[in-house]
């Protein structure tokens, strides 16, 4: 009786085919996972950067004495309350002058035509890739102009609505980040 010492060519071909299919499937899943991770990382970074800029704007405008929106809603100018010379004995922070007075310094946030949000005090770019037309084809406002800054009435007070849409191309897919908030200025 003769014993079989190896595999036939047919068995070898089937085994290599199954192994190639397995390697191809694993590689495809790996590439798909890397692309999904890159899109998710991009979305997270975009939203985090935009949220930081939005937080800075809202905290600044919340204490504004007076605000003016110009340049088709792309610029908001504001003044802050004047601070007293003395400091609080408990916190060590400067206090507002009572009665409230403007410090007389005009500051602004503005969106440039190339999509940058600039803080005029520091000259720094707070956000990039801002679109002044809604770029999302799934949006009901697709391709329509919008104002990044606008006034709104909240109860009996005047507020400012900040609406910013940014987009970033990631692997040929346009990713959007929408941020919208309303700030009621308390020092009017």
């Amino acid at each position: 009786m003769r014993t079989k010492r190896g595999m036939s060519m047919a068995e070898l071909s089937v085994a290599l085919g199954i192994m190639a299919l397995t390697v191809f499937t694993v590689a495809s899943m790996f590439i798909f996972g890397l692309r999904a991770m890159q899109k998710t990382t991009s979305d997270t970074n975009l939203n985090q950067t935009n949220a930081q800029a939005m937080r800075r704007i809202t905290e600044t405008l919340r204490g504004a004495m007076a605000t003016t929106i110009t340049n088709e809603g792309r610029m908001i100018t504001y003044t802050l309350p004047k601070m007293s010379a003395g400091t609080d004995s408990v916190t060590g922070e400067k206090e507002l002058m009572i009665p409230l007075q403007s410090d007389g310094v005009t500051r602004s946030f503005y969106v440039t035509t190339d999509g940058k949000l600039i803080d005029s005090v520091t000259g720094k770019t707070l956000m990039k890739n801002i679109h002044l037309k809604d770029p999302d084809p799934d949006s009901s406002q697709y391709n329509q102009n919008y104002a990044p800054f606008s006034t709104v009435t909240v109860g009996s007070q005047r507020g400012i609505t900040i609406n910013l849409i940014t987009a970033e191309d990631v692997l040929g897919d346009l990713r959007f980040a929408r941020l919208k908030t309303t700030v009621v200025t308390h020092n009017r």
Side-chain angles (χ1 to χ4, degrees), residues 103-125:
D103 66 359
V105 178
T106 302
R107 302 161 178 89
S108 66
F109 293 107
Y110 60 94
V111 177
T112 63
T113 55
D114 63 342
K116 294 179 183 173
L117 176 65
I118 308 290
D119 179 353
S120 71
V121 174
T122 62
K124 290 185 178 179
T125 300

Side-chain angles (χ1 to χ4, degrees), residues 9-162:
M9 188 57 112
E11 291 171 331
L12 187 60
S13 296
V14 169
L16 286 175
I18 291 172
M19 189 175 2
L21 185 62
T22 303
V23 168
F24 177 74
T25 303
V26 169
S28 294
M29 288 176 27
F30 182 72
I31 291 169
F32 177 78
L34 284 177
R35 287 185 179 196
M37 185 182 80
Q38 189 171 9
K39 288 179 181 181
T40 302
T41 301
S42 174
D43 289 349
T44 302
N45 290 341
L46 189 61
N47 283 320
Q48 182 178 3
T49 302
N50 293 352
Q52 288 173 347
M54 186 71 82
R55 191 175 316 115
R56 180 170 180 174
I57 294 169
T58 56
E59 288 175 0
T60 301
L61 294 179
R62 192 169 285 127
M65 288 289 299
T67 59
T68 306
I69 297 173
T70 57
N71 204 10
E72 297 173 352
R74 290 194 348 243
M75 175 182 273
I76 184 164
T77 55
Y78 61 95
T79 59
L80 295 175
K82 192 173 190 177
M83 304 302 271
S84 67
T87 58
D88 184 282
S89 58
V90 176
T91 64
E93 295 178 354
K94 289 193 173 204
E95 296 182 327
L96 299 175
M97 286 193 81
I98 304 292
L100 290 177
Q101 304 171 25
S102 171
D103 66 359
V105 178
T106 302
R107 302 161 178 89
S108 66
F109 293 107
Y110 60 94
V111 177
T112 63
T113 55
D114 63 342
K116 294 179 183 173
L117 176 65
I118 308 290
D119 179 353
S120 71
V121 174
T122 62
K124 290 185 178 179
T125 300
L126 301 178
M127 289 173 72
K128 296 178 182 176
N129 302 323
I130 297 172
H131 289 254
L132 298 173
K133 287 186 177 189
D134 190 339
D136 187 357
D138 295 332
S139 170
S140 62
Q141 304 295 316
Y142 176 62
N143 216 22
Q144 293 182 22
N145 290 332
Y146 72 94
F149 303 105
S150 59
T151 57
V152 65
T153 302
V154 179
S156 62
Q157 295 182 311
R158 185 172 166 227
I160 313 253
T161 296
I162 306 161

